[in-house]
Amino acid sequence: MESHHRIPLAGAGAMPAFLAAPDDPSPAPRPGILVIHEVFGLNDDIRAQARRAASLGWVALAPDLLAALGPRPLCIMRAFRDLSRGAGPAFEALEAARAWLAARPGVDPARLGVIGFCMGGGFALLLAARAPYRAAAVFYGSVPKDPSALDDACPIVAGYGGRDRLFAPQGRRLQEHLEHLGIPHDVVIYPDAGHSYMNRHSGLIAKLGAWGPMKVAYNPVAAEDSWRRIADFFREHLG
């Protein structure tokens, strides 16, 4: 079951969002999952990721964060500005999405998770430490240098591509932070994968990314294993 919505934002305006839910009816409330996109915004790939989450029995909401931050390319700049300082309209919009999802009929507000890819992974990681999520999935997202930024974070499952020279070190840093803080985690660096290994991209940007230091490319083996790990980890921590 799929539907499109507009989530009211503080002050004025609304943020477009895509909702995917299991087709089979269930009298019991289900976990709710917030899916945060890459720098490309809410596109076909992210909608497919939300559908994948719904196929596991969850209600998945993918908000268009960039649409909440103004016209391009200013919205991209604003998103990264907020991500770097850990505050701002981007976090307010994501909190509005979380609250909207938690209030939706059929969602258990006590069982929320968040999944993010690249830019969205960076947001998901910070939200793990500051919002009422019970589990977070972080894929090739940026990681703060100071481990205290992740104090009291919920359990985290994460994946990075070993061929991604820019973000693989971030994955190793995340592993070290979580071990130091004693936070339950499952972090894997896939040696044969590059950046965005779970996402299907096309066009000039994808071709250029494949040749650059990040080695951007969909990797079906790493992607499927990552979804298996998400399913197991979220079922353990969300119930």
Side-chain angles (χ1 to χ4, degrees), residues 75-160:
C75 61
I76 298 174
M77 297 170 59
R78 289 167 178 163
F80 279 105
R81 176 201 62 193
D82 290 358
L83 181 58
S84 66
R85 68 183 185 177
F91 284 94
E92 294 169 7
L94 291 172
E95 172 56 21
R98 185 207 64 79
W100 187 94
L101 177 63
R104 185 166 181 83
V107 172
D108 184 347
R111 294 190 292 160
L112 300 181
V114 59
I115 299 174
F117 305 94
C118 190
M119 180 187 79
F123 279 109
L125 181 59
L126 294 184
L127 291 175
R130 62 181 66 185
Y133 293 103
R134 287 177 56 174
V138 176
F139 289 92
Y140 25 93
S142 59
V143 179
K145 292 182 180 179
D146 185 353
S148 67
L150 302 180
D151 282 347
D152 301 319
C154 65
I156 294 170
V157 57
Y160 290 79

Side-chain angles (χ1 to χ4, degrees), residues 2-222:
E2 302 176 3
S3 53
H4 295 269
H5 301 269
R6 294 186 65 81
I7 298 172
L9 299 176
M15 176 172 56
F18 173 76
L19 185 76
D23 291 326
D24 59 303
S26 172
R30 302 174 182 270
I33 309 297
L34 188 69
V35 180
I36 310 177
H37 58 66
E38 297 180 289
V39 72
F40 305 110
L42 177 56
N43 56 17
D44 288 343
D45 174 76
I46 295 301
R47 282 185 281 270
Q49 305 291 353
R51 293 186 188 102
R52 182 69 179 263
S55 74
L56 295 171
W58 310 322
V59 179
L61 178 69
D64 191 344
L65 179 60
L66 296 184
L69 300 177
R72 298 191 185 215
L74 290 178
C75 61
I76 298 174
M77 297 170 59
R78 289 167 178 163
F80 279 105
R81 176 201 62 193
D82 290 358
L83 181 58
S84 66
R85 68 183 185 177
F91 284 94
E92 294 169 7
L94 291 172
E95 172 56 21
R98 185 207 64 79
W100 187 94
L101 177 63
R104 185 166 181 83
V107 172
D108 184 347
R111 294 190 292 160
L112 300 181
V114 59
I115 299 174
F117 305 94
C118 190
M119 180 187 79
F123 279 109
L125 181 59
L126 294 184
L127 291 175
R130 62 181 66 185
Y133 293 103
R134 287 177 56 174
V138 176
F139 289 92
Y140 25 93
S142 59
V143 179
K145 292 182 180 179
D146 185 353
S148 67
L150 302 180
D151 282 347
D152 301 319
C154 65
I156 294 170
V157 57
Y160 290 79
R163 299 180 67 226
D164 179 356
R165 290 186 293 183
L166 298 186
F167 281 85
Q170 304 265 339
R172 290 188 282 271
R173 177 189 295 167
L174 179 59
Q175 176 84 19
E176 292 171 359
H177 284 356
L178 298 178
E179 289 178 355
H180 171 74
L181 294 169
I183 294 170
H185 63 279
D186 174 10
V187 180
V188 173
I189 299 176
Y190 295 94
D192 297 327
H195 194 74
S196 292
Y197 68 79
M198 294 180 73
N199 308 101
R200 299 176 186 267
H201 299 307
S202 60
L204 179 60
I205 293 179
K207 292 180 180 179
L208 293 175
W211 287 99
M214 297 167 70
K215 297 295 185 288
V216 175
Y218 176 70
N219 185 301
V221 174

